[in-house]
Amino acid sequence: MVSTPVKTNRLTTQVEALAADTQVLRSLDWDRDRFDIEFGLQNGTTYNSYLIRGEKTALIDTSHAKFRELYMSLLQEQVDLSQLDYLIISHTEPDHSGLVADILALAPHVTVVGAKVALHFLDDLVHQPYEKLFVKGGSKLDLGNGHELEFISAPNLHWPDTIFTYDCGTNVLYTCDAFGMHYCDDNAFDVDLSKIEPDYRFYYECLMAPNARSVLTALKRMDAIADGEPFQAIANGHGPILRYHITELVERYRTWSQKRSKADTTVAVFYVSDYGYSDRLSQSVAHGITKTGVAVEMMDLKAGDPQELQELVGQVQGLIVLAPPTSGRGAEASQAGLSNVLAAVNGKQFIGIVESYGGDDEPIDPLLNKFVDLGLTPGFKAIRVKDTPTEATYQLCEESGTDMGQELNHSQKMRKKKSDDNSLEKALGRVSSGLYIITAKKGEITSAMLASWVNQASFQPLGVSIAVAKDRAIESFMQVGDRFVLNVLEEGKHLKLMKQFLKRFPPGVDRFAGVDTQPASDGSPILSGSLAYMECQVVSRMETSDHWIVYSTVSEGKVANADGRTAAHYRKLGTYY
């Protein structure tokens, strides 16, 4: 009898000195493997909050509700809650504000500090009266003993109500989600850059890339408030705090965001952050779009400025709308935002509609028809969310976003193909390669891709390199630490499998329907009709302009036909497959 391993869920807490009169209270979630918008995690995560003591005491953010007992006990060991004066809310996403009500129950005198829209959102979370202090960019709060706090407006990083907090006395900037990473480790700081680099980049791609222009705006405000001086620390909301590699890691945000913001094509994603699953679903769609090199601008229908909303609609080539609520708190503002979107569209744009599963969504079929009647072209089939979103739901959203991005890029690529027919491209096209199918599984979701840019890359250990286009769905299954199977196609017997995985699949369709497979050790499908297979694990990734070069070690493998030869692939031009 084989016993099924029991999944553990280790939760611990930790206190570390950060600066003068300043501590970080870390909630370490060692075994969390999915987060927020349902992106897979390899190394767990942390939730960081901060305690600053001047003549008055301020707490910046709280923790996730799963840490209720652990965190509240830790907090009360560090400070007498009767002496806590301010609770600063960086934004109201529940993983940072999940214990606000608990603190107010024990310290009802505390003044809650946040952006106006944040405190309006918070009203729906705590359901009790409390002292409020609205702040905006440039507002200051003097705690005494040199701890003067200045606030920086940083909307959409990654919620519309986000603010940064800068302590002039310690030169520490508190940024919540920005400059964070899902990486759980006993070391509270970024001591080993090589260990955290993959998670830092993956976090940016998932959460910040869809808001690249907002990142650049926040960086300008950071530069201004620092006045040329380096920060002592960037105190983020997840993962190790930046202390040792601040310049390097901040500049990476700048470089990545500048590249994103220069895209020729942009899609606007409209959602309602505090309604149903609108935020999570919208982030998944946005992530799929950004994989194609198309820029994304995200805006909350409820909180967005009407003029900015209409200007954004007029500038983009595609729109995604998460169905807003038709009744309840915030419905009137959300519906007004939707009306502004409809008034500003033009007939040359693409449109995608997704349900929010909030209990009272705007019906999506009539909503889609309104856009189609105005001349817009559906970029993907409307996504219906009838139950709590699952991994499959989020994968469907990501793939649908990728489909829209690819459609927007199609005509530009066709023009480029026609203009690239010269000797250099013909010469590059003579670099031959084999034919392979990559298969992978995460949770209950499987994916596959026909590949040709595959090479052995090392002897000790045995390793291969694979070039994967950034807009391929399987790219999300090939992060550092992920496992997959490399199936080798056999010459003369490859056409059936090649055609199966070469064709374009609609989002959510089973790519393995009718294909004979067997599971690898990690569950990834091994294609029974392949010449050989290898089980691989991703070790590192190198970025190029439009591909990721994925280096992986090989642990297991088998050849089905010792006399078989690998099917070969020859191209006419080096500018496309």
Side-chain angles (χ1 to χ4, degrees):
M1 181 177 177
V2 179
S3 61
T4 302
V6 178
K7 179 177 173 59
T8 59
N9 189 26
R10 291 177 295 156
L11 304 178
T12 62
T13 55
Q14 177 187 28
V15 177
E16 293 279 349
L18 174 60
D21 311 315
T22 307
Q23 296 171 299
V24 55
L25 282 63
R26 305 179 78 219
S27 301
L28 290 82
D29 196 346
W30 293 93
D31 300 302
R32 187 162 185 176
D33 58 1
R34 312 294 299 176
F35 190 85
D36 186 39
I37 47 181
E38 302 310 305
F39 295 115
L41 307 184
Q42 299 291 346
N43 297 299
T45 193
T46 74
Y47 312 90
N48 305 331
S49 70
Y50 301 91
L51 196 60
I52 305 173
R53 292 182 175 88
E55 294 174 6
K56 295 186 176 181
T57 301
L59 177 68
I60 300 179
D61 294 322
T62 64
S63 186
H64 195 289
K66 68 168 67 176
F67 282 89
R68 176 169 282 110
E69 293 184 7
L70 286 171
Y71 178 83
M72 293 303 296
S73 174
L74 179 69
L75 177 63
Q76 290 178 88
E77 288 175 5
Q78 306 307 313
V79 62
D80 181 349
L81 291 184
S82 68
Q83 303 301 311
L84 183 63
D85 299 285
Y86 298 104
L87 173 55
I88 298 170
I89 304 298
S90 297
H91 69 256
T92 50
E93 196 175 12
D95 57 314
H96 302 289
S97 60
L99 300 178
V100 172
D102 298 79
I103 291 175
L104 290 177
L106 297 174
H109 63 281
V110 165
T111 298
V112 181
V113 181
K116 188 173 184 180
V117 65
L119 298 191
H120 286 166
F121 287 169
L122 193 63
D123 291 341
D124 293 332
L125 296 176
V126 301
H127 304 293
Q128 67 183 79
Y130 58 92
E131 294 294 322
K132 302 177 182 179
L133 176 61
F134 297 121
V135 293
K136 57 184 179 180
S139 297
K140 295 183 179 182
L141 177 63
D142 193 352
L143 301 181
N145 293 340
H147 296 284
E148 183 179 57
L149 307 183
E150 183 170 348
F151 299 96
I152 301 172
S153 178
N156 300 321
L157 300 183
H158 74 110
W159 270 37
D161 55 351
T162 300
I163 57 169
F164 294 170
T165 304
Y166 175 63
D167 187 342
C168 304
T170 58
N171 198 21
V172 174
L173 181 67
Y174 300 87
T175 60
C176 202
D177 279 343
F179 308 105
M181 67 207 81
H182 293 311
Y183 189 93
C184 189
D185 187 80
D186 284 324
N187 198 319
F189 301 97
D190 59 332
V191 175
D192 189 339
L193 182 60
S194 63
K195 286 175 61 177
I196 64 175
E197 280 178 312
D199 296 272
Y200 186 76
R201 177 61 187 268
F202 185 57
Y203 182 96
Y204 172 88
E205 291 294 333
C206 294
L207 292 177
M208 297 295 151
N211 302 290
R213 290 186 174 93
S214 297
V215 171
L216 292 175
T217 299
L219 286 169
K220 288 180 182 178
R221 293 170 179 168
M222 288 167 54
D223 292 342
I225 203 168
D227 196 25
E229 293 295 322
F231 296 110
Q232 178 177 332
I234 289 185
N236 50 34
H238 297 289
I241 298 163
L242 308 191
R243 169 176 281 175
Y244 300 103
H245 303 93
I246 293 175
T247 300
E248 168 70 17
L249 292 173
V250 169
E251 286 307 306
R252 291 189 189 188
Y253 259 47
R254 196 185 312 274
T255 300
W256 297 334
S257 299
Q258 286 172 341
K259 182 177 179 180
R260 295 282 185 185
S261 65
K262 292 177 181 177
D264 296 327
T265 308
T266 304
V267 172
V269 178
F270 297 101
Y271 67 106
V272 181
S273 60
D274 60 344
Y275 175 67
Y277 290 82
S278 184
D279 172 65
R280 298 183 180 189
L281 295 166
S282 67
Q283 288 280 341
S284 290
V285 177
H287 181 55
I289 295 169
T290 59
K291 288 171 65 172
T292 69
V294 172
V296 171
E297 287 279 347
M298 303 192 70
M299 185 170 289
D300 192 323
L301 282 172
K302 184 170 113 175
D305 177 80
Q307 183 175 347
E308 291 180 0
L309 187 151
Q310 290 196 345
E311 288 177 355
L312 176 59
V313 173
Q315 296 168 358
V316 300
Q317 290 73 45
L319 301 93
I320 307 290
V321 176
L322 279 291
T326 59
S327 65
R329 186 182 179 95
E332 183 177 350
S334 301
Q335 289 293 323
L338 177 60
S339 297
N340 285 324
V341 171
L342 287 163
V345 299
N346 65 70
K348 297 180 180 180
Q349 296 164 311
F350 282 79
I351 179 66
I353 304 293
V354 184
E355 286 186 323
S356 295
Y357 197 60
D360 194 17
D361 292 7
E362 175 87 14
I364 62 171
D365 290 323
L367 180 57
L368 178 59
N369 289 337
K370 289 179 183 178
F371 285 99
V372 172
D373 290 344
L374 291 169
L376 279 73
T377 302
F380 53 79
K381 187 177 180 181
I383 298 177
R384 305 174 192 279
V385 185
K386 299 303 182 185
D387 296 293
T388 301
T390 63
E391 292 179 32
T393 311
Y394 293 110
Q395 184 69 15
L396 172 61
C397 288
E398 181 177 320
E399 292 179 5
S400 297
T402 298
D403 266 17
M404 178 180 279
Q406 290 173 337
E407 192 68 33
L408 287 166
N409 284 332
H410 180 68
S411 59
Q412 181 179 347
K413 288 182 178 179
M414 292 303 295
R415 288 194 298 270
K416 190 175 190 311
K417 286 181 182 180
K418 292 178 180 179
S419 65
D420 281 345
D421 191 4
N422 59 46
S423 296
L424 174 59
E425 280 70 32
K426 287 179 179 178
L428 184 59
R430 295 306 183 268
V431 177
S432 62
S433 55
L435 284 172
Y436 312 85
I437 295 171
I438 301 167
T439 56
K441 182 176 183 180
K442 272 190 177 182
E444 299 303 315
I445 308 301
T446 55
S447 189
M449 180 189 84
L450 180 68
S452 57
W453 293 359
V454 178
N455 288 285
Q456 184 170 345
S458 63
F459 288 126
Q460 294 292 335
L462 291 173
V464 295
S465 65
I466 304 172
V468 182
K470 291 180 177 178
D471 63 356
R472 299 304 295 267
I474 203 169
E475 184 272 337
S476 297
F477 292 68
M478 300 180 74
Q479 302 297 317
V480 173
D482 285 344
R483 298 179 180 273
F484 65 91
V485 171
L486 179 64
N487 298 272
V488 184
L489 298 188
E490 183 174 359
E491 184 181 76
K493 300 179 181 180
H494 65 285
L495 291 180
K496 183 177 179 180
L497 284 173
M498 186 180 78
K499 290 178 180 178
Q500 169 73 13
F501 294 99
L502 180 62
K503 66 185 179 183
R504 184 172 179 175
F505 290 89
V509 170
D510 181 8
R511 289 158 170 75
F512 296 92
V515 179
D516 189 14
T517 67
Q518 53 185 309
S521 59
D522 72 322
S524 296
I526 298 171
L527 303 180
S528 300
S530 60
L531 170 63
Y533 76 88
M534 287 153 276
E535 297 186 32
C536 308
Q537 183 172 21
V538 180
V539 173
S540 62
R541 290 160 48 109
M542 183 183 80
E543 185 178 13
T544 69
S545 59
D546 48 20
H547 283 69
W548 286 100
I549 310 301
V550 180
Y551 170 71
S552 307
T553 55
V554 181
S555 57
E556 301 287 341
K558 185 177 181 180
V559 177
N561 177 8
D563 297 322
R565 297 171 58 127
T566 303
H569 178 52
Y570 302 96
R571 297 174 297 153
K572 292 183 177 180
L573 296 175
T575 50
Y576 60 95
Y577 298 120

